[in-house]
Amino acid sequence: MKANAERTALLYRIRQLEWDALPLDPGSARRRQLRNAVVASSERFLQEIDSVKAYEEVENPGLGLLDVPIGEDGLAIETALDLLEQEVIRPGAHPASGGHLAYIPGGGLYHSALADFLGAVSNKYPAIFFTGPGPVRMENQILRWVADLVGYPAGAGGNLASGGSLATLTAITTAREAHGLKGADFASTVVYLTSQAHHCVEKALGIAGLGEVQVRRIPIDDRFRMRPEALEQAIAADRAQGLKPWLIVAAAGTTDTGAVDPLDALATIAGRERCWFHVDAAYGGFFLLTEHGRAMLRGIERSDSVILDPHKSLFLPWGSGVVLVRDVRLLAAAHRFTGHYLQDAPSDPGEISPADVSPEMSKPFRALRMWLPLILLGAKPFRAALDEKLLLARYFHQEVQALGFEVGPSPDLTVVTFRWAPRRISLKRANQLNQEILDALRKDGRIYLSSTLLDGRFTLRLVALSFRTHRQTIDLALQLLREQAAALSG
Ligand SMILES: Cc1ncc(COP(=O)(O)O)c(C=O)c1O
C-alpha cells in the first residue's frame, strides 16, 4: 500500500517536473517567434554594418548586462535581444565591419552563421566516427581540402581546432612526441624562431611542459623575415655545445608586419638538421588560394606541421583553426587516449576521429561552418576577395607614403606598417604623435587601426583582411590619415 502511494507520488512529481521543463523544447509557434526575433536582430545588424563604426567607444561597455542577473524566470526575447544589442554588440571593436583594419581582422560569413545554427539544432556529435560518421567524414574532407592547398601528401591529417593557439599546441605536442623528448632532455633542447613569432608558440611550449627548452631568436632581415644563414649558424653553435636542435618555427605571415619567412630555404635546413619544421600560417595560410600567395609561401609543403586560421583568411566567424601534420600517425600517437565507456566504438573504423588527434573530445560541429560556405560558393569568391585584399594593401602602401608617412617594406601579404616621422623630430616625440593619431582615429571610429613596436618605434598597422573591406574603406582610411597629417603639419 505504502509502496503504491510512493510510486504515485513519484510519478506525479516526474510529470510536474516535465511540465516545468517544457520551455526547454519550444513548439513550432514559439520557435517561429524566437527565430523571427533573432533574424530581425541580425538583419538590424547587417543592414547597418557598412555605416556602423568599426570601433564604438562607450562608457562602461557592457556593464548594463550586470543589471539583469539570471533569475528563476526568463525575460521576453525582445528584452533579451535589446540588452544584447546595446550592451554586447554595440560597444568596442566590430570585427564584422569592413572598417576593422586592426590586429588580424576576423570575418563572419553569413553562410557560416547559418551553418552554426544548423549544427547546434541538430547537435550532431563531431568527435568520434562511430557516433557521428557524417560530421567526422565532413571534417576529414575539409582537412583534405586544406592539406591539398598546402601541398601535403596523402598520409597527412589534422584537426579543426578552436583557433590558431590550440592548433599550435597540438602541433608542438606532436613534435615533442615525434622526437621522443623526455623531461631530462628539455634543458638541452632548442627551438628556433624570430622576434616576430606569435606568442602562442611560447605559450604552447609552456603548456606542453616544455618551458625549460632553449629558445633562440634568430635575426631577421630588413623585411622582418628570418635569415636562413643566421639559423644555420645558431644550429651549428648549439651542436658544438652539445645541445639538441629540435624545432624550427617559421611564419607564413607574421602578425606585426605580415612577413613571410623564406619557407623553402628553412625547410632545407630543417631537413638537413633533422629538426621538426613547423609553419605558423594562421594569418597567411589561405592566401594559398591565390597565385601570389602560392609563390610567397613556396616551401610550406615541405613542413612537418602547419596551422591555418579559417577565422582569419577564410573569413569564418571566430572559433576555427586548422592544424595539419604531414604524417597523421605522429599526430595520433601524441593524442590518442581512450576510456572503458568507449568500448562500443571500434578502435579503427577506417576514418580518423577528431577526438583521437586533438586535445579536445566534445566540440562544436566546426566542419559545417566551413563546409557550407565552400560548398555553396566554391573557392572562386574567396580567391577573388583575397586577391582584392592583396591589391588594396599594395594600394594603401603607395598612397599613404604619398601623404608623407614613412612606410615599412612593401607588403608580403596584406599588412602595411607606417608611421608619422618627419625629419628632425625625436623618436620619443614621433612615438607620441603616432599614439595620438591612433587615439584620434579610434575616437572617430569609422576605421579601426592598431599599432605595434618595431625596433622601439611606435608603428601603425593597417590590415586589409575582412571580406567587407573594399577600396572605399581604404580611401576613407587615407582621407582620415590625410586630415591627421595636415593637423600635425599645420
Ligand atoms: C600569426 C598568428 N599566429 C597565431 C595566432 C593565434 O591564433 P588564434 O587567435 O586563432 O588563437 C595569431 C592571432 O592573431 C596570429 O596572427
Side-chain angles (χ1 to χ4, degrees), residues 104 163-165 198 200 253 255 280 282-283 307 309 311-312:
I104 300 292
S165 300
H198 192 274
C200 73
T255 317
D280 177 351
Y283 153 57
I307 66 149
D309 267 356
H311 65 204
K312 294 186 171 74

